[in-house]
Amino acid sequence: MVLLEVRGLSVIYRTLFGTVKALDDVSFTLDKGESIAVVGESGSGKSTLALAISRLLPPNARYVSGEVLFDGINLVKLPQSKLRMIRGTGIFMVFQEPANSLNPVYKIRDQLIEAVKVRMIKSGEAFDEGKALKEIISTLRDVRIPDPEIIIDRYPHQLSGGQIQRVMIAMGLLMRPRLYIADEPTSALDVTVQAQILKLLKDLKSEYNLSIIFITHDLAVASVIGDRIMVMYAGQIVEEGNIDDVVTKPYHPYTQGLLGSLPRISKHEGKLPIIGGSVPSLINPPSGCRFHPRCPYATDTCIKVIPQLKITDNRRVRCHLYA
Ligand code: ATP
Ligand code: SF4
Ligand code: MG
């Protein structure tokens, strides 16, 4: 059953240097209980997509077109006053930059208790503070927060960035949202903690039928967490499909580039391997195929004609080679 359907979503940012076309005609669906890993180099539009789905775009951003249907409700058109309905237990997002995610004036304890309270009340359970606290401590331990009994009595500014990130991951786990969006939540953490958190998320996914959008630079992480993978380049989806299919046989030249040089030693984890050149400016994106300046197979057609995202076998690919 479909939980989220994004249809033709385009988003721009207004800047002093011009209009940044950060998302261009992005469409995909996510079923209940399904996870999708979103990958792509820096500047490809991954965070913009997450923020656009959650209605958390900054003030200089605009929705140009498209819909975000969450349980059939178009969030793009939903008035601010109704957004509270979907926040938290509907859609929960762990940000790439977590610094301001917590309320600075409340202790961690109060913020996590509130999260559990909201969940319990929404699910018709009677709220029990002692029970909530037990669950909080054990979840903080799960995300490898040392001495959770001490940490919960701190204020956010008394925690490190990595600790705040883990508290946010824990808050998401405690809230059990229908859609959990995580924007590179583990990239700053060490490999063992990362693996632990990924395992937790996977367990919760199967236990509570959680749907997950997981943004990552790391293809190894994507393979662990994703049922499907969505590869983004310069604000567009270039390939999307079942993760095993795409990883074993990538079709799009960009995906091939990402995977071709996938490092085998964990030493290089956290960053995507290098393809010659860099993601173009999205103020004046390249004509035709946005990847043509970096593509080894580019032809005149690629420079002139924009390739559409087409169904090829059991996946979608945006490339003239598969027209
Ligand atoms: P990263 O991997 O570095 O997090 P990303 O894939 O999340 O990158 P986005 O942050 O979504 O990419 O950025 C997409 C494009 O939008 C980039 O060209 C970026 O410079 C631009 N952009 C992002 N945020 C803003 C903003 N607040 N104002 C103007 N431009 C922005
Ligand atoms: Fe390369 Fe052309 Fe395919 Fe773009 S459309 S990825 S330039 S072959
Ligand atoms: Mg980002």
Side-chain angles (χ1 to χ4, degrees):
M1 217 165 107
V2 175
L3 176 70
L4 177 76
E5 183 176 1
V6 175
R7 272 196 210 153
L9 190 64
S10 297
V11 168
I12 56 156
Y13 291 106
R14 298 218 170 100
T15 73
L16 287 175
F17 311 101
T19 303
V20 179
K21 299 168 191 81
L23 283 186
D24 181 59
D25 195 19
V26 170
S27 298
F28 70 99
T29 60
L30 184 71
D31 282 346
K32 288 203 167 94
E34 190 184 34
S35 60
I36 192 161
V38 181
V39 302
E41 286 162 292
S42 187
S44 55
K46 305 180 299 294
S47 296
T48 305
L49 176 62
L51 296 167
I53 291 170
S54 319
R55 277 286 300 271
L56 290 167
L57 286 167
N60 65 327
R62 292 276 177 284
Y63 290 94
V64 178
S65 60
E67 296 179 326
V68 174
L69 299 166
F70 182 69
D71 254 350
I73 297 169
N74 184 7
L75 302 185
V76 173
K77 291 274 185 302
L78 203 66
Q80 279 291 337
S81 57
K82 295 224 166 127
L83 281 174
R84 205 175 314 161
M85 288 183 343
I86 62 132
R87 294 264 155 81
T89 53
I91 301 179
F92 184 91
M93 179 164 169
V94 180
F95 293 92
Q96 188 172 8
E97 305 292 339
N100 301 318
S101 313
L102 290 164
N103 190 327
V105 304
Y106 295 109
K107 286 181 177 173
I108 304 304
R109 170 198 293 266
D110 301 327
Q111 304 194 44
L112 293 181
I113 284 202
E114 188 58 30
V116 179
K117 196 175 189 173
V118 167
R119 181 198 85 208
M120 285 181 163
I121 289 169
K122 280 205 179 166
S123 67
E125 243 180 288
F127 173 68
D128 173 337
E129 181 152 347
K131 204 170 140 195
L133 207 54
K134 259 197 198 135
E135 194 184 339
I136 287 166
I137 298 288
S138 113
T139 308
L140 288 176
R141 212 164 260 138
D142 285 343
V143 297
R144 294 291 185 266
I145 291 270
D147 304 319
E149 295 87 350
I150 298 170
I151 294 283
I152 54 168
D153 284 315
R154 298 220 170 124
Y155 289 93
H157 77 267
Q158 296 172 306
L159 302 187
S160 71
Q163 283 172 330
I164 290 186
Q165 187 72 293
R166 277 179 269 178
V167 168
M168 289 311 296
I169 293 167
M171 187 185 276
L173 300 177
L174 290 164
M175 287 205 116
R176 278 178 224 140
R178 279 179 294 158
L179 175 59
Y180 190 106
I181 304 181
D183 191 354
E184 311 226 23
T186 57
S187 52
L189 308 174
D190 75 57
V191 180
T192 11
V193 177
Q194 273 193 39
Q196 180 69 26
I197 288 172
L198 290 178
K199 181 171 181 308
L200 262 174
L201 260 180
K202 278 190 87 167
D203 291 349
L204 271 144
K205 172 177 173 279
S206 44
E207 202 173 331
Y208 298 104
N209 212 24
L210 199 73
S211 305
I212 301 174
I213 297 178
F214 199 97
I215 296 170
T216 177
H217 268 93
D218 190 329
L219 286 160
V221 169
S223 308
V224 172
I225 201 77
D227 298 320
R228 283 193 289 144
I229 186 169
M230 190 153 91
V231 183
M232 292 191 63
Y233 184 78
Q236 298 175 325
I237 299 175
V238 294
E239 182 159 6
E240 185 262 320
N242 174 287
I243 194 138
D244 296 329
D245 295 348
V246 173
V247 168
T248 33
K249 197 166 183 278
Y251 283 9
H252 196 282
Y254 179 64
T255 320
Q256 288 172 359
L258 294 180
L259 285 157
S261 39
L262 179 66
R264 285 170 211 290
I265 315 281
S266 60
K267 188 159 81 171
H268 295 114
E269 265 172 18
K271 288 273 168 279
L272 285 178
I274 291 137
I275 301 170
S278 56
V279 174
S281 152
L282 297 181
I283 292 176
N284 284 308
S287 62
C289 172
R290 289 186 175 186
F291 187 55
H292 86 253
R294 301 170 75 187
C295 181
Y297 311 110
T299 61
D300 281 351
T301 311
C302 303
I303 298 167
K304 290 185 200 125
V305 183
I306 299 172
Q308 300 301 312
L309 192 61
K310 288 209 176 114
I311 297 174
T312 308
D313 301 333
N314 53 351
R315 68 182 87 174
R316 295 187 298 160
V317 186
R318 188 190 289 279
C319 173
H320 291 308
L321 292 175
Y322 302 92

